[in-house]
């Protein structure tokens, strides 16, 4: 039996209050948080703002960006990737500032033939310098259900997480002369596009357009974060009350990350001596 309208309205009001006061408990509305930036009707917001879909066909891909800029936070997005034969496609989900000395934090999902695993490609840019790629196979099929991809970004760490499991930790090593993204606010971007010249097995496997349209889906965007507007952060005061501000990896989380890196990492720039014959980047030698 349905509850009385008055009870329903009371519960709804309570949920709205909780969502306002406890940001981490409630997902945001895509219509309120994001703008479709390209691809026209290939990008759609559905279910009263609770679901966003990007599609790719031979004519074009599609993409969106956040209305807000962020400078530090813990930000979750649930994605369900292109199913079936996704070879040649890339679903990019990343944070970036602007300009030649931009900062950037990347998740990129490289499609593959049916039955073959996706490659999760990560990279981080500081002051315009990237070349810090680490790649992973996922320990699940990311096309069947939604999975949560998290960036925890505070003044000491950029931690990448998948379903709450840390897979990468880029630490603030400014004391060693290594730049860290801490001064440039970033927007969130995502796109689904054709990269058949390199995405799958170095470009050997091309996009099968008979499988189009290719579709990636997004839900449950949660930003417990500092937004930036007109040169001012919403975390100018009271930041220390946010749990993520001082968060790092405890012993259990470190162990879980090492497990992922041992079993599922397929490329690490820090061990690519052929690429860096004069020596790997300095952050690689810091324990």
């Amino acid at each position: 039996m349905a509850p009385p309208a008055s009870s329903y309205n009371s519960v709804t009001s309570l949920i709205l209050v909780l969502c306002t006061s406890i940001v981490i408990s409630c997902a945001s509305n895509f219509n309120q948080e994001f703008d479709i930036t390209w691809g026209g009707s290939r990008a759609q917001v559905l279910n009263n703002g609770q679901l966003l879909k990007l599609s790719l066909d031979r004519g074009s891909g599609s993409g969106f960006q956040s209305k807000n800029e962020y400078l530090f936070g813990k930000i979750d997005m649930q994605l369900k990737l292109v199913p079936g034969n996704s070879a040649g496609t890339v679903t990019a989900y990343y944070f970036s500032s602007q300009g030649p000395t931009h900062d950037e934090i990347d998740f990129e999902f490289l499609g593959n033939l049916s039955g073959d695993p996706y490659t999760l490609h990560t990279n981080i840019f500081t002051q315009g310098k990237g070349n810090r790629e680490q790649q992973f196979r996922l320990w699940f099929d990311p096309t069947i259900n939604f999975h949560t991809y998290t960036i925890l970004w505070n003044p000491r760490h950029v931690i990448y997480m998948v379903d709450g499991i840390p897979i990468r930790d880029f630490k603030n090593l400014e004391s060693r002369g290594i730049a860290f993204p801490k001064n440039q606010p970033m927007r969130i971007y995502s796109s689904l596009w054709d990269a058949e010249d390199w995405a799958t097995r170095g470009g050997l496997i091309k996009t099968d357009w008979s499988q189009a349209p290719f579709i990636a889906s997004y839900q449950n965007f949660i930003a417990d974060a500092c937004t930036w507007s007109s040169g001012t952060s919403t975390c100018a005061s009271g930041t220390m009350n946010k749990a993520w501000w001082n968060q790092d990896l405890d012993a259990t989380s470190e162990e879980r990350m090492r497990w992922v890196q041992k079993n599922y990492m397929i490329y690490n720039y820090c061990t690519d001596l052929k690429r860096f014959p004069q020596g790997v980047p300095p952050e690689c030698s810091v324990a």
Side-chain angles (χ1 to χ4, degrees):
M1 185 174 76
S6 57
S7 298
Y8 176 84
N9 291 335
S10 297
V11 171
T12 302
S13 298
L14 176 60
I15 291 173
L16 290 174
V17 169
L18 290 173
C19 287
T20 301
S21 60
I22 308 175
V23 177
I24 59 173
S25 65
C26 299
S28 298
N29 186 300
F30 281 103
N31 285 315
Q32 297 171 359
E33 299 291 340
F34 293 95
D35 291 318
I36 304 301
T37 50
W38 64 288
S41 60
R42 294 176 180 85
Q44 294 184 311
V45 178
L46 305 168
N47 296 354
N48 295 316
Q50 299 306 302
L51 177 69
L52 190 153
K53 290 188 175 184
L54 295 182
S55 66
L56 163 69
D57 57 35
R58 189 180 287 274
S60 178
S62 51
F64 63 87
Q65 71 178 41
S66 63
K67 296 178 186 292
N68 288 322
E69 291 181 294
Y70 301 94
L71 186 61
F72 304 128
K74 183 179 181 183
I75 298 178
D76 298 339
M77 181 76 85
Q78 290 191 336
L79 281 77
K80 183 163 65 172
L81 300 179
V82 175
N85 181 0
S86 58
T89 70
V90 172
T91 305
Y93 171 65
Y94 62 101
F95 301 57
S96 184
S97 59
Q98 299 297 314
T101 59
H102 76 292
D103 295 335
E104 186 173 326
I105 303 167
D106 294 346
F107 279 114
E108 289 187 304
F109 303 90
L110 313 184
N112 218 329
L113 294 170
S114 298
D116 288 347
Y118 262 80
T119 296
L120 170 55
H121 175 100
T122 68
N123 198 1
I124 186 163
F125 289 71
T126 58
Q127 297 295 307
K129 178 183 179 297
N131 298 324
R132 297 185 175 102
E133 297 90 348
Q134 292 182 351
Q135 293 184 339
F136 304 82
R137 300 295 195 204
L138 294 169
W139 50 95
F140 52 83
D141 185 340
T143 71
I144 296 176
N145 297 306
F146 284 91
H147 292 269
T148 304
Y149 302 90
T150 301
I151 293 296
L152 191 155
W153 172 30
N154 64 32
R156 297 190 297 132
H157 298 268
V158 175
I159 300 173
Y160 295 71
M161 292 185 278
V162 178
D163 287 340
I165 299 174
I167 64 170
R168 180 174 187 176
D169 182 6
F170 184 79
K171 299 177 181 178
N172 186 334
L173 298 171
E174 289 179 301
S175 62
R176 310 289 184 94
I178 300 163
F180 185 83
K182 69 172 190 178
N183 296 316
Q184 300 185 54
M186 303 191 218
R187 293 189 192 277
I188 299 170
Y189 300 86
S190 193
S191 58
L192 175 57
W193 53 289
D194 175 38
E196 68 174 7
D197 56 334
W198 65 270
T200 306
R201 299 184 189 174
L204 293 177
I205 308 298
K206 303 301 183 183
T207 305
D208 181 0
W209 292 109
S210 70
Q211 304 296 313
F214 304 98
I215 297 174
S217 302
Y218 304 73
Q219 68 176 20
N220 289 343
F221 171 72
I222 301 175
D224 183 12
C226 307
T227 58
W228 186 268
S229 179
S230 302
T232 302
S233 170
T234 55
C235 293
S237 63
T239 300
M240 296 306 171
N241 294 325
K242 295 183 178 292
W244 53 261
W245 183 260
N246 292 307
Q247 187 172 341
D248 55 14
L249 297 181
D250 59 19
T252 300
S253 297
E254 286 273 8
E255 183 178 357
R256 298 176 86 188
M257 184 174 70
R258 286 195 297 270
W259 173 81
V260 171
Q261 294 179 349
K262 177 182 178 181
N263 293 285
Y264 296 98
M265 181 184 283
I266 60 172
Y267 177 80
N268 183 1
Y269 75 109
C270 284
T271 61
D272 193 344
L273 299 180
K274 290 184 178 180
R275 182 180 178 189
F276 301 105
Q278 304 304 316
V280 296
E283 65 268 17
C284 295
S285 60
V286 179

